[in-house]
Amino acid sequence: MSVISTYANFNCADLPVATYRADEVVLAAGSRTGRLLFLKEGAVAVVRQSTQIATVDEPGAVFGEISALLDRPHTAEVRTLVHSQFYVADAALLGHSAAALFYVAGVLAQRLDCANDALVASLRS
């Protein structure tokens, strides 16, 4: 199920679009951009502490939300794997739009559920 269709009350299409070539850093770990990025198309690698923790290619995936919600630098590097486009919003959007906040909360809940499944699987091995 698409992230966009799951939380349809928030419309990314109204946001400006940024385009990146393959192998470009979109968010650098330790930096503060004050931005939220919603994947329009493409694919990225998420790297935390020199370990690739995810490959993401699902439209609607959000990046920069941990930094925005916790008011701290980005915790991971996000690097494009292919030509990619993102809808871009100021992180302050989360304080002004309940729909955007609910969207991000839903995405985070999905990630937490997957992380819990992976943890259970690793503990059973």
Side-chain angles (χ1 to χ4, degrees):
M1 178 183 300
S2 167
V3 172
I4 290 175
S5 66
T6 304
Y7 306 102
N9 290 335
F10 176 64
N11 188 359
C12 295
D14 294 335
L15 299 171
V17 175
T19 302
Y20 293 85
R21 295 181 309 268
D23 201 35
E24 279 194 78
V25 173
V26 177
L27 296 175
S31 71
R32 286 182 179 260
T33 63
R35 298 186 308 166
L36 296 171
L37 301 172
F38 301 88
L39 186 62
K40 180 179 180 189
E41 63 181 38
V44 300
V46 179
V47 178
R48 188 164 177 162
Q49 298 177 7
S50 303
T51 300
Q52 184 172 326
I53 60 172
T55 299
V56 181
D57 63 0
E58 185 173 3
V62 63
F63 306 94
E65 77 291 348
I66 294 172
S67 176
L69 290 168
L70 299 179
D71 190 28
R72 64 184 206 194
H74 296 294
T75 59
E77 176 180 281
V78 177
R79 177 179 293 277
T80 56
L81 297 172
V82 298
H83 177 271
S84 301
Q85 291 188 316
F86 300 85
Y87 296 108
V88 181
D90 188 291
L93 175 70
L94 297 179
H96 305 294
S97 168
L101 185 59
F102 182 74
Y103 181 94
V104 169
V107 170
L108 288 170
Q110 286 178 330
R111 278 196 219 148
L112 179 60
D113 189 47
C114 289
N116 286 342
D117 287 346
L119 178 59
V120 168
S122 72
L123 292 173
R124 288 184 176 165
S125 298

